Each structure stands twice: as C-alpha cells, then as structure tokens.
Amino acid sequence: MYFDTHAHYDDERFDADRDEMLASLPAKGVRLVVNPGCGLESSRLALSYAERFGHMYAAVGAHPHEAAEVTPEWLDFFAASHEKRVAIGEIGLDYHYDFSPREIQRSVFKAQMEIARALNLPVIVHDREAHEDCLNIVRQFPGVRGVYHCYSGSLEQAKILVSLGWSISFTGSVTFKNAKKAAETAAWLPADRLMIETDSPYMTPEPHRGKRCDSTYLPYVAQKLGELRGVSSDEIEELTWNNGRAFFGININSKESDR
C-alpha cells in the first residue's frame, strides 16, 4: 500500500485522463494521495478531487510563485474548514525563479504558517534555493509541524529540521545521478520522519525520466530509498504508509481508501 503524499493532479497535463487516472490508483496499489494546492483555484480543485474520490485528500495554500497574487480572501479560503483538508500547503520560498518578490514570499509564507498554527494543521513546505530564510521562518513557529517536500537541502539542515520535529519527503529526484545531498539525507533520516511522494507530474524517477509522472511511479522511489537505507522496498512502502497517515492524521485502513 503506497501513500503518495504530494501530487498535483490539477496540473493541465492530466486534463485528458484525470478521472480515469485517479479512479485507477487504488487498484494499482496507491491507496492514499494528498493533492496540495498552489493557489486559490488549484486548492479548490484539490478539494473537489478529495470530495469525489475516497482515497484523495487535499492541502490548501499558495505556492511562493503565487505569493504576489494572494489576497485576504485567499487566506480566508485556506482557513475555512473542510473534512478532507489535511494540511496547509504547498507554501514556502522559491529564490530560483523569484516569480514573486522575496519580501512578499516571506510575508505570505508567515501568514500561512499562522493559519496552520491557529488550526493545528501540518504544513507542506517548498524550499528552493532559500534554505536559510525558510529555516528562519520555520523556527518562528515552534508549534507548527511540517514536511519539507522534494527535499533538496543539506544533511546539516535536515538534522536541524528533525530536531524541530519536522519530517522530510523524497520524490523521484532521489534516483537522479546528481542527487548526492538527497541520498545522504535519505540514508541518515530517522525512520519515523521519512515520507515519499511523486510531485506528479514532475520528478519522474529513473529510468523513466522525461515522461509524465504519476503516483504509480512510487515503487521506484521506494526501491532507491531502500537501497540507500539498507532495507527492502517493501519495508519502505510500509514505513512511509504509516508515517504519512500519522503525519496527516488520516485514520483509515486500506479497504476504506478504495471507496
């Protein structure tokens, strides 16, 4: 039983076969999926998938790329209750593209961390080339739990995050030849802080790099993590299934997730 803790099925690359793809996942061994929002409309879509498919759950939030577009109405929507909203995300900082001014990115990141703190929800953090500033903001919210998705930081930063009670998630990028930092962190990470994801449609693992990614590629991530940690891919599958459900507070068994 696999849990894809981060997949963007609202992406236009799934427009042609989205419903068929989502409906097929439980039979293919993917029993739970969290679809994070990256803005107002994608958060609405994520919630709609969660309403229609029993194995789907949603996170709501504004990606740093969208930070300059965020309004008080967006924040009110993110704070509104929904029975299948399990996190605030995807939030954070992106200094690689800088599609939104960095000061605005930081302000919006903090505003969404405030929502998570008020609602006692975990957060899903995007950190690209903004490691120091991301960590500084995380430290300002000691009561908030979170996961750094598609981890790209250093082992030293990972140790700090773990000491703060945070988790780390890996995508197919851990299979890439140049993923030395991710591999080092994955080998060290305490077992109860490890999660896996696809970040679909991105980060397709080797040997399928270049194709559209979907949740059925999770076994490749599990296999690589097993190699790095010296355990079987089956152990990674079970471990990350349990860790994901505990992190998001999803009390469900495999048969219920098929409904």
Side-chain angles (χ1 to χ4, degrees):
M1 299 174 292
Y2 282 102
F3 186 168
D4 190 348
T5 59
H6 194 115
H8 296 285
Y9 283 107
D10 54 291
D11 189 276
E12 63 183 8
R13 275 168 279 190
F14 292 107
D15 285 354
D17 62 347
R18 181 179 294 108
D19 285 2
E20 179 183 358
M21 169 65 68
L22 293 180
S24 72
L25 291 178
K28 295 176 179 177
V30 182
R31 302 300 183 92
L32 289 172
V33 179
V34 169
N35 193 123
C38 290
L40 182 60
E41 183 57 27
S42 66
S43 293
R44 285 175 171 157
L45 289 170
L47 289 170
S48 74
Y49 306 151
E51 291 169 351
R52 292 172 55 209
F53 297 96
H55 57 285
M56 297 290 294
Y57 287 79
V60 297
H63 190 285
H65 290 347
E66 306 295 324
E69 305 300 319
V70 173
T71 66
E73 289 73 25
W74 284 35
L75 297 176
D76 288 344
F77 179 83
F78 299 153
S81 63
H82 191 287
E83 64 177 356
K84 296 195 75 177
R85 178 202 58 193
V86 292
I88 300 298
E90 176 178 353
I91 65 176
L93 303 174
D94 192 310
Y95 291 175
H96 178 78
Y97 288 108
D98 281 328
F99 287 159
S100 293
R102 294 184 179 184
E103 183 177 353
I104 293 176
Q105 289 189 48
R106 291 190 290 268
S107 175
V108 169
F109 185 13
K110 291 177 184 178
Q112 294 180 100
M113 289 288 282
E114 290 280 9
I115 292 172
R117 178 163 61 182
L119 299 177
N120 193 29
L121 286 172
V123 298
I124 302 169
V125 167
H126 171 105
D127 169 19
R128 187 164 188 184
E129 298 177 19
H131 305 319
E132 184 176 354
D133 282 357
C134 251
L135 188 56
N136 286 340
I137 290 173
V138 164
R139 282 173 160 152
Q140 293 175 35
F141 296 86
V144 176
R145 298 180 300 113
V147 58
Y148 267 50
H149 103 94
C150 192
Y151 190 70
S152 63
S154 66
L155 175 59
E156 290 72 24
Q157 184 189 24
K159 290 180 177 179
I160 295 171
L161 289 169
V162 167
S163 74
L164 295 172
W166 281 53
S167 297
I168 289 173
S169 183
F170 297 96
T171 67
S173 64
V174 75
T175 70
F176 300 169
K177 291 181 180 179
N178 62 349
K180 294 180 180 179
K181 289 192 296 183
E184 185 180 27
T185 300
W188 167 84
L189 192 66
D192 64 341
R193 304 301 177 83
L194 174 67
M195 293 196 289
I196 58 173
E197 57 171 293
T198 57
D199 200 19
S200 298
Y202 313 104
M203 301 298 172
T204 312
E206 298 288 2
H208 300 286
R209 196 171 180 182
K211 298 180 181 179
R212 184 191 73 173
C213 192
D214 64 60
S215 299
T216 63
Y217 286 98
L218 279 175
Y220 295 96
V221 183
Q223 180 180 355
K224 182 62 177 182
L225 290 173
E227 293 171 2
L228 292 169
R229 297 175 66 84
V231 300
S232 70
S233 59
D234 288 345
E235 289 179 72
I236 297 295
E237 178 183 353
E238 181 178 6
L239 174 67
T240 55
W241 166 263
N242 291 328
N243 286 349
R245 287 187 303 144
F247 178 83
F248 290 109
I250 299 174
N251 298 314
I252 191 170
N253 62 41
S254 60
K255 291 183 179 178
E256 287 175 321
S257 65
D258 291 341
R259 296 174 185 170

